[in-house]
Every structure is written in structure tokens, then in C-alpha cells.
Amino acid sequence: YTFIFGTDSFKMEVGHAAWPSAPGKVGLLDYRGQAKIVEGSGTGRFQYASGNLQWAGPAIVWSPDGENFYGRFNAEIRGNICGVLAP
């Protein structure tokens, strides 16, 4: 995933994520996971960022044709980000 805040951004690499529902299933679910910030991937204030993040929250998945799946996720994100430059 890439987080973008205007001209500042960083990427994170997912280490583990879980959707407690069967693959291909649509509807409401609870999505959670953890990731680390990819060092050297940041721009602006996050140029030297490093750290770990965890997220969890409700999600919805739907498929208008049974082949293409779409979703929305309302996450609560927690963790530590080090090396952020002052604005």
C-alpha cells in the first residue's frame, strides 16, 4: 500500500493480512493485518521513515458480475513511524 499526504508519501509491505471469510465471498467482513514501512520508499517528510503498522476494521466486498471484486475498508491504523521530518 502507498499512503499519500499531499507531496509526502511512504509505502508499506504487508507481512500478514486476514479476511475471516471464504475466498470469493461478498458482503461484510472484518479485515486486519500488519506491515512494515519500506525504507527508502518515502518522499517529503517521510523520506527517512521506518516502522511497523497494524490495522483493523470493517470492510465490504461486492461483485457485480461474479468475476470482478470491489471493496471498501474503514481502517483503524496503529503503530510507530520513525524518522519523520518536521514540516
Side-chain angles (χ1 to χ4, degrees), residues 1-2 10-11 13 16 23 27 33 35 38-39 42 46 57 59 65 71-72 74-76 82-84 87:
Y1 298 114
T2 300
F10 65 87
K11 293 181 182 178
E13 182 178 88
H16 175 75
V38 178
E39 292 188 41
F46 299 106
D65 58 11
R72 296 292 181 265
N74 189 21
E76 179 178 312
C82 302
V84 178

Side-chain angles (χ1 to χ4, degrees), residues 5-73:
F5 307 91
T7 58
D8 307 319
S9 68
F10 65 87
K11 293 181 182 178
M12 61 183 211
E13 182 178 88
V14 177
H16 175 75
W19 298 264
S21 65
K25 182 177 170 151
V26 298
L28 297 173
L29 54 101
D30 187 44
Y31 176 55
R32 54 187 66 243
Q34 63 186 25
K36 67 177 182 175
I37 294 174
V38 178
E39 292 188 41
S41 70
T43 61
R45 293 183 64 197
F46 299 106
Q47 181 177 358
Y48 304 108
S50 64
N52 296 294
L53 301 171
Q54 300 84 37
W55 63 88
I60 186 169
V61 176
W62 68 93
S63 176
D65 58 11
E67 292 184 27
N68 297 299
F69 291 85
Y70 302 91
R72 296 292 181 265
F73 176 44

